[in-house]
Amino acid sequence: MAFDSLTEKLQNVFKNLRSKGRLTEADVQEALKEIKRALLAADVNFKVVKDFIKTVQERAVGQDVMNGLNPGQMVIKIVNEELCNLMGSETTEIKLQPGSAITVIMMAGLQGAGKTTTTAKLAGKFKLKGKKPLLVACDVYRPAAIKQLQINGEKQGVEVFTMGDNHKPANIAKAAIEHAQKNGNNLVILDTAGRLHIDEDMMAELEEIKNTVTVHQTILVIDAMTGQDAVNVAKEFDEKIGVDGVIVTKLDGDTRGGAALSVKAVTGKPILYVGMGEKLSDLEQFYPDRMANRILG
Ligand code: GDP
C-alpha cells in the first residue's frame, strides 16, 4: 500500500535514534535531514515538508526528557503528532442536513480519479447509516459512466436517477432533487463529468449545477497515484468551485502517498475518506491519527 517505502525509511531513522543513549543536537539534525528526504521521496509537497521539519525541529530542540521518554522516543512522538496535524488532526464527517431534509452532495474530479466508483461506495456507507440515497448520473459525455453508475447502484441496493445523455447536467440535478422529494430520498449524490485535465467547460458545468440547485457539500475525488498533480488539481478545483472535503482514492496502490499527506496542508480542505481498493466496500473513513500510526509502522 501507499507509504510502505516511507514507513521503511522512517523506521530506519527511528532505529538509529533508539540505538543511541543520549542524543546530541547533531543526531537530531541528522535524523531530521533523513526524515525530510523520506518525505520528499514520498512526493510530499516541498513547502509542506519544509514547514513540517521546521515544526518538528522547534519542538524537539531544547526539550528536556519528559514523561519517561528518552530523547529518541520523544522525537518519534513529535513526528507522529505532527504527521497527524499535517493530515488534519481530527476526523471530518460529511455534513448532512438536519432531520429528514435532503442533503445534496456533488462529486467532482478528473476523469479516472474514481468518482463514479466512490459515489457508489459512499452511497453504501450512508445506506448503512439509515439514509435513503439517490445517485444521479450527471456525466452525460460518457454513456459508459451512466451504465457504470447503474450497475454499481444496483450492487449497493441504491436507486440511480438518469435522464440519458441528452440533457444539461444542471437540469438533470434539478429533476433528480424533485424526484427525491417525491420518493422520500434524503440524500442526493450527483456524479458529475470529469475531464482528463482541468478545463473551463468542466468548471462551468459544475458552477452551473451549483447555481441551479442547492449543493450542500462539494466533494472532490483525487487519485493518490498522481501524487502532487492531484494536490494541484485539488487547489484549482477549490479556487474555482469551492470544495468542502476530499476523498483520496487508490491509496491501496503502489503509490508514494504524498497526495494524502499534502492535500490538507496545501488546500486547507480535510480528507473525508480514502479509497483502498476497487471493491465497493473498499472505502475507509479517514482518521489522521490512525494514518499517522500506520505510516510510522
Ligand atoms: P471516474 O472517471 O472518476 O468516474 O473513475 P471511475 O470510478 O470509473 O474509476 C476509475 C478506475 O479506478 C476504475 O477502474 C476503478 O475501479 C478504479 N478505482 C477507483 N477507486 C479505487 C481505489 O480506491 N483503489 C483502486 N485500486 N482502484 C480504484
Side-chain angles (χ1 to χ4, degrees), residues 19-243:
S19 69
K20 301 191 167 83
R22 291 213 66 81
L23 289 185
T24 63
E25 174 115 17
D27 291 332
V28 175
Q29 295 305 350
E30 181 55 31
L32 287 176
K33 222 192 268 171
E34 281 171 32
I35 293 170
K36 182 174 178 179
R37 252 184 250 136
L39 289 170
L40 288 173
D43 201 22
V44 181
N45 173 284
F46 179 73
K47 186 173 179 303
V48 171
V49 174
K50 228 173 113 197
D51 292 347
F52 178 86
I53 295 295
K54 190 162 165 266
T55 309
V56 173
Q57 186 165 16
E58 279 167 5
R59 287 190 57 190
V61 168
Q63 278 209 37
D64 293 327
V65 184
M66 293 185 326
N67 307 326
L69 294 180
N70 68 36
Q73 286 170 328
M74 200 176 67
V75 173
I76 297 168
K77 181 167 177 283
I78 293 171
V79 170
N80 186 327
E81 286 169 7
E82 290 305 326
L83 272 182
C84 181
N85 282 341
L86 193 59
M87 291 183 286
S89 67
E90 278 173 11
T91 298
T92 308
E93 301 275 353
I94 296 176
K95 280 195 198 73
L96 298 178
Q97 294 302 105
S100 57
I102 297 176
T103 304
V104 179
I105 296 176
M106 181 169 83
M107 307 294 285
L110 294 186
Q111 192 175 313
K115 215 175 330 94
T116 303
T117 313
T118 305
T119 300
K121 286 177 174 178
L122 260 189
K125 292 260 178 241
F126 281 113
K127 193 181 164 200
L128 281 176
K129 289 184 186 173
K131 288 281 165 192
K132 193 176 172 198
L134 179 68
L135 304 185
V136 186
C138 287
D139 182 348
V140 293
Y141 305 102
R142 291 189 310 135
I146 300 176
K147 189 85 201 136
Q148 188 191 349
L149 192 67
Q150 283 173 318
I151 291 169
N152 285 340
E154 200 170 310
K155 280 190 197 158
Q156 299 287 58
V158 167
E159 194 188 345
V160 177
F161 182 92
T162 88
M163 287 168 64
D165 56 7
N166 240 338
H167 294 268
K168 281 208 302 194
N171 292 341
I172 298 174
K174 193 159 173 258
I177 293 167
E178 283 162 13
H179 177 89
Q181 280 158 348
K182 286 191 207 117
N183 199 41
N185 300 98
N186 47 17
L187 180 64
V188 173
I189 311 182
L190 310 174
D191 182 29
T192 65
R195 305 280 197 281
L196 289 177
H197 305 283
I198 286 191
D199 75 16
E200 292 300 319
D201 289 348
M202 172 174 61
M203 292 300 181
E205 193 173 291
L206 297 173
E207 258 172 77
E208 194 182 356
I209 293 176
K210 278 193 151 178
N211 290 335
T212 307
V213 300
T214 302
V215 171
H216 301 101
Q217 292 274 295
T218 301
I219 297 180
L220 182 70
V221 178
I222 60 171
D223 174 350
M225 304 283 271
T226 62
Q228 285 315 297
D229 280 348
V231 177
N232 295 333
V233 162
K235 199 158 177 259
E236 221 169 312
F237 264 94
D238 187 40
E239 281 164 8
K240 296 247 166 69
I241 59 159
V243 163

Side-chain angles (χ1 to χ4, degrees), residues 3 6-7 10 83 87 261 290-297:
F3 302 123
L6 176 61
T7 300
L10 291 178
L83 272 182
M87 291 183 286
L261 277 167
R290 289 189 204 169
M291 192 56 82
N293 287 337
R294 225 191 247 191
I295 291 169
L296 293 190

